[in-house]
Amino acid sequence: MARIITDECISCGTCEGECPTSAIAPGAEHYEINAETCVDCGACESACPVGAIIEE
Ligand code: SF4
Ligand code: SF4
């Protein structure tokens, strides 16, 4: 299980710096979470200003 980033993302980049496993990076449309490296800690979800990160 990993968290995912929805289309609500405004690409502010805040979550990228919060992730302990560097699982977040800019994608084609918006930032994306690598499900292989995400440990589901929730730090990014708390940091996102627009609530774009949700549990799958
Ligand atoms: Fe990174 Fe934690 Fe967010 Fe997963 S839940 S992308 S490990 S900050
Ligand atoms: Fe997108 Fe939220 Fe991450 Fe900002 S913190 S890049 S709005 S998912």
Side-chain angles (χ1 to χ4, degrees):
M1 202 61 122
R3 277 174 168 73
I4 58 168
I5 295 178
T6 71
D7 290 342
E8 299 297 308
C9 173
I10 56 172
S11 296
C12 70
T14 303
C15 57
E16 185 176 16
E18 296 295 322
C19 182
T21 62
S22 300
I24 306 176
E29 302 291 327
H30 51 65
Y31 274 67
E32 294 173 352
I33 292 172
N34 183 341
E36 299 296 317
T37 51
C38 172
V39 294
D40 226 16
C41 72
C44 57
E45 185 176 344
S46 303
C48 181
V50 296
I53 302 176
I54 59 173
E55 286 185 75
E56 208 166 13

